[in-house]
Amino acid sequence: MYDDMLEEELNKIIETSNNNILITDQDGIILYSNPKLWEIYGMKSDSYIGTSVYQLESEGLLAPSINAIVLKEKKAKRIMQETKTGHVVMSTGYPIFNKEGRLVRVISYGQDQTEILQLQDQFEQLQRKVKGYQTEVEDLREKELDYHYLIARSNETKHILKTIHNVSKTDATILLLGPSGVGKSTFARAVHDQSNRKKEPFIEVNCSTIPESLFESEIFGYEPGSFTGANKQGRQGLIEQADSGTLFLDEIGELPLAMQAKLLKVLQEKKIKRIGGKKENHINFRLVTATNQDLKEMVSQGKFRLDLFYRLNVIPIQIPALHERKEDIPLLIQHYLEKTNDKYQKFKKIHPSTYEVLTHYHWPGNIRELENLIERLILTIEEPIIFPEHLPQSITGQVEPSEDSTFLAIEQECEENFDLKKTLEKVERQLIAKAWKKCKTTYEMAEHLGISQPTVIYKLKKYKQYL
């Protein structure tokens, strides 16, 4: 009676346990099991009591059987099983010995790891995605850092940015060429910001602004008491300040010949010695230079050292004048408009017709002239919108002819005159006049305007006084 009650309690404990339990005797015969266990293996829960685990193992239903392994090795074991239903089960088996030390039972616990493994796999996939997103974010941040101050719509500027991107990670010396005001210092900064040295100093030196008598002490520094008027503590030179970072020498063509020889020595030996000093210190910097002069011509004139020219001319990048990359001009106007409005707490806008005029201006002063003009207009024009009539005569009188000027006239005419017939007639007259100047024959004019040749003749007679 007691044994029956004990067995019933044992069955109830096994049946209600959250663990999947399988108990076998010393011969591998199944004595007790948890019904949930068989669900994992896709088997009926009430049909395997009294069955040998060896038989189930041979049939591939328990592959392998943890109980069979424990019976063989007589010690606790843990294995991973993959069932026919696609579940992954972690099975742990324990041997039970009697007082004489003979193995009489094996109890095993099966934990379905399928969901956990799926979650782990999803977690790993998520981690990979997050890592990918982080990489993308870092790339975007880097691109934002690299390009937020550069305007690139024209193919010319895009090509320059691509070149800078390709060479920035190296330590190759870059020579930026182009007229004054095209933004050479901005491109030099872009080189630094995309390089491996971006967290180190960026030292910019305009060689044309330092008096020749002070150039050596400014560039190379000096030791205490080196000369009259020198700082008592000495002074670190600009090259030393650029150690581990980037040294940008703007207007390199203005570098005195004596300094050219010393700079060449620094570039060759990667060492620097201050004025009045005896010790040479190792220096490590990336050199970027810029000039608006023809260094080759200066070499032929004896004004620039040939050996230094070859040292600097490793990767020359030609930056075209602003009028050669007109696609960038509207973006630059918008950029400096926003920047200046923000600086002075203004809310000025530029009329589309003004954009058109500025786009076709020659810009001899390049970007520097454009930036100064926008600032002047915002500070001096009282109206909220800047129209072409607000522009200086020096600009409006030198605008290059544009194919879009007719459409500018339409827009301006419509603002001043709501008479459709008169407006269309004025536009037609301008189109005829432009075609008359551009084409050699009335047949060519007809093809250009998309009308018949007799119509061209009629229009020429009609607008004869305006031609």
Side-chain angles (χ1 to χ4, degrees):
M1 182 75 173
Y2 176 76
D3 291 339
D4 291 340
M5 183 178 293
L6 186 62
E7 184 172 355
E8 186 177 345
E9 289 178 352
L10 178 60
N11 278 325
K12 203 65 177 177
I13 291 171
I14 294 173
E15 183 180 341
T16 57
S17 174
N18 290 326
N19 291 310
N20 301 311
I21 302 171
L22 181 68
I23 302 176
T24 60
D25 63 13
Q26 68 275 14
D27 297 318
I29 302 300
I30 297 173
L31 303 177
Y32 305 98
S33 69
N34 186 314
K36 291 182 180 179
L37 174 70
W38 303 107
E39 294 177 9
I40 301 174
Y41 295 94
M43 299 152 66
K44 293 182 179 180
S45 60
D46 58 350
S47 58
Y48 293 97
I49 302 300
T51 305
S52 169
V53 292
Y54 297 108
Q55 177 186 340
L56 297 177
E57 189 176 43
S58 65
E59 293 174 0
L61 299 175
L62 297 177
S65 167
I66 182 64
N67 293 61
I69 294 173
V70 173
L71 285 169
K72 179 181 179 181
E73 300 188 18
K74 295 182 172 55
K75 61 181 179 180
K77 297 291 292 183
R78 175 177 292 172
I79 62 170
M80 299 295 289
Q81 296 173 309
E82 187 170 349
T83 73
K84 287 186 175 182
T85 57
H87 288 260
V88 177
V89 180
M90 182 176 69
S91 295
T92 307
Y94 300 94
I96 297 176
F97 300 91
N98 61 14
K99 292 180 180 180
E100 289 77 28
R102 185 164 58 87
L103 193 154
V104 293
R105 297 283 187 273
V106 173
I107 300 178
S108 65
Y109 302 91
Q111 292 182 328
D112 190 353
Q113 302 288 301
T114 308
E115 187 175 351
I116 295 174
L117 291 173
Q118 287 174 347
L119 289 172
Q120 183 178 356
D121 184 59
Q122 290 174 7
F123 177 71
E124 290 174 355
Q125 289 181 20
L126 184 61
Q127 279 188 315
R128 287 193 291 270
K129 285 184 179 180
V130 169
K131 189 174 181 180
Y133 293 146
Q134 286 175 337
T135 303
E136 288 180 15
V137 168
E138 288 172 4
D139 289 343
L140 288 171
R141 282 177 178 169
E142 185 171 335
K143 287 179 181 177
E144 184 180 351
L145 174 66
D146 297 338
Y147 295 104
H148 78 278
Y149 46 76
L150 293 174
I151 306 299
R153 176 178 285 175
S154 67
N155 292 330
E156 293 84 357
T157 311
K158 287 179 180 178
H159 177 71
I160 292 171
L161 295 185
K162 185 176 181 181
T163 302
I164 287 175
H165 179 74
N166 290 338
V167 302
S168 289
K169 299 297 183 184
T170 71
D171 274 342
T173 300
I174 294 175
L175 174 61
L176 299 169
L177 304 166
S180 295
V182 293
K184 294 187 290 293
S185 61
T186 304
F187 286 105
R189 168 64 74 172
V191 171
H192 175 75
D193 286 346
Q194 294 182 70
S195 73
N196 297 325
R197 301 172 181 265
K198 61 187 175 183
K199 295 182 180 180
E200 302 299 332
F202 175 81
I203 304 299
E204 181 174 351
V205 182
N206 191 317
C207 299
S208 65
T209 61
I210 304 176
E212 187 171 348
S213 58
L214 299 176
F215 207 98
E216 186 173 6
S217 61
E218 290 291 322
I219 293 295
F220 296 96
Y222 54 85
E223 295 294 343
S226 299
F227 52 86
T228 303
N231 190 301
K232 293 181 180 181
Q233 285 76 39
R235 185 171 180 177
Q236 187 182 50
L238 293 168
I239 293 180
E240 282 188 82
Q241 293 177 33
D243 192 23
S244 300
T246 301
L247 176 66
F248 173 48
L249 297 179
D250 197 7
E251 304 296 349
I252 189 69
E254 302 293 332
L255 191 68
L257 275 171
M259 293 302 101
Q260 291 179 27
K262 292 197 172 187
L263 176 62
L264 180 64
K265 187 174 185 293
V266 171
L267 296 178
Q268 290 173 335
E269 299 178 3
K270 300 296 182 183
K271 294 179 181 178
I272 192 169
K273 184 168 66 174
R274 295 182 183 181
I275 297 174
K278 297 180 180 179
K279 180 182 177 183
E280 285 189 323
N281 297 317
H282 285 276
I283 198 81
N284 173 24
F285 62 90
R286 201 291 179 61
L287 181 65
V288 179
T289 61
T291 183
N292 60 2
Q293 301 186 56
D294 187 340
L295 293 185
K296 286 185 179 180
E297 181 63 25
M298 292 183 67
V299 169
S300 65
Q301 295 173 0
K303 297 179 180 179
F304 203 87
R305 293 181 62 102
L306 179 62
D307 45 8
L308 179 59
F309 171 73
Y310 285 125
R311 276 279 178 179
L312 303 182
N313 198 45
V314 178
I315 300 178
I317 298 177
Q318 183 72 44
I319 303 172
L322 184 56
H323 73 271
E324 296 175 7
R325 41 190 174 110
K326 291 186 181 297
E327 296 94 330
D328 294 342
I329 294 176
L331 294 179
L332 285 164
I333 294 171
Q334 183 62 30
H335 170 73
Y336 288 115
L337 178 69
E338 292 175 358
K339 179 181 176 182
T340 310
N341 271 328
D342 185 63
K343 179 179 178 180
Y344 295 109
Q345 296 298 300
K346 301 287 185 179
F347 303 94
K348 300 295 177 66
K349 294 182 180 180
I350 293 179
H351 192 268
S353 58
T354 311
Y355 271 98
E356 187 66 30
V357 174
L358 294 177
T359 299
H360 292 90
Y361 174 56
H362 190 68
W363 295 111
N366 295 293
I367 296 175
R368 189 177 297 125
E369 181 185 5
L370 186 150
E371 182 179 6
N372 292 340
L373 173 69
I374 298 300
E375 185 170 13
R376 186 194 323 157
L377 291 171
I378 287 177
L379 294 178
T380 60
I381 302 303
E382 295 182 0
E383 290 85 346
I385 299 178
I386 300 170
F387 287 94
E389 55 264 30
H390 295 135
L391 299 176
Q393 178 61 35
S394 59
I395 290 180
T396 56
Q398 297 183 34
V399 174
E400 298 175 356
S402 165
E403 289 294 325
D404 298 325
S405 58
T406 301
F407 300 101
L408 250 177
I410 296 174
E411 189 170 15
Q412 290 176 323
E413 184 70 20
C414 288
E415 288 176 1
E416 300 168 3
N417 189 352
F418 287 94
D419 190 317
L420 180 61
K421 184 177 179 180
K422 288 183 179 180
T423 300
L424 291 176
E425 186 174 299
K426 184 174 181 179
V427 173
E428 183 181 67
R429 186 175 71 225
Q430 290 181 347
L431 285 171
I432 293 295
K434 285 185 65 176
W436 173 250
K437 292 178 182 179
K438 184 174 183 179
C439 303
K440 296 179 180 179
T441 67
T442 55
Y443 290 100
E444 190 177 339
M445 284 182 65
E447 184 177 353
H448 180 75
L449 294 169
I451 57 179
S452 67
Q453 191 261 352
T455 303
V456 169
I457 295 174
Y458 168 75
K459 299 293 183 184
L460 286 173
K461 289 180 180 178
K462 181 180 178 181
Y463 301 120
K464 184 177 180 180
Q465 59 179 319
Y466 299 105
L467 301 177

